């Protein structure tokens, strides 16, 4: 078998190889990356929530200004 340089060694290559073989089943990566840093996840959710609240407040102000015209 040689050096194995032609074998797929990452998830993208494995998915492409499965599609070329005609294996149309759902592709599952055996080792998906896991982000267990809950502090980082909570910070991202808080930032997202804060930006959505700002967006809603600006939208409400814009609608109020349009109604006053």
């Amino acid at each position: 078998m040689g050096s194995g340089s032609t074998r797929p060694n990452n998830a993208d290559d494995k998915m492409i190889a499965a599609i070329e073989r005609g294996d149309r089943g759902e592709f599952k990566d055996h080792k998906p990356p896991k982000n267990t840093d809950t502090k980082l996840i909570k910070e991202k959710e808080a930032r997202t929530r804060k930006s959505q609240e700002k967006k809603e407040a600006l939208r409400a102000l814009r609608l109020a200004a349009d109604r006053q015209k």
Side-chain angles (χ1 to χ4, degrees), residues 1 5 7 9 11 13 16 26 32 35 39 43 54 61 65:
M1 178 182 242
S5 63
R7 295 187 63 197
N9 58 358
D13 291 341
I16 291 169
E26 182 179 351
N35 188 0
K39 182 180 177 185
E43 287 175 359
K54 284 182 181 180
L61 284 173

Side-chain angles (χ1 to χ4, degrees), residues 31-44 47:
K31 294 181 183 179
K34 293 183 180 180
N35 188 0
T36 57
D37 188 5
T38 56
K39 182 180 177 185
L40 178 64
I41 293 170
K42 288 180 181 180
E43 287 175 359
K44 285 182 178 181
R47 276 185 267 151

Side-chain angles (χ1 to χ4, degrees), residues 11-69:
D12 293 334
D13 291 341
K14 289 178 183 178
M15 182 178 60
I16 291 169
I19 291 171
E20 289 174 352
R21 281 194 312 266
D23 185 8
R24 297 289 180 189
E26 182 179 351
F27 177 77
K28 293 182 181 178
D29 189 6
H30 292 289
K31 294 181 183 179
K34 293 183 180 180
N35 188 0
T36 57
D37 188 5
T38 56
K39 182 180 177 185
L40 178 64
I41 293 170
K42 288 180 181 180
E43 287 175 359
K44 285 182 178 181
E45 288 174 353
R47 276 185 267 151
T48 302
R49 195 176 317 114
K50 188 174 180 180
S51 67
Q52 288 174 349
E53 289 171 357
K54 284 182 181 180
K55 192 187 315 180
E56 291 294 325
L58 289 172
R59 184 179 294 145
L61 284 173
R62 188 175 64 238
L63 289 173
D66 287 343
R67 286 182 189 148
Q68 286 181 353
K69 287 184 181 178

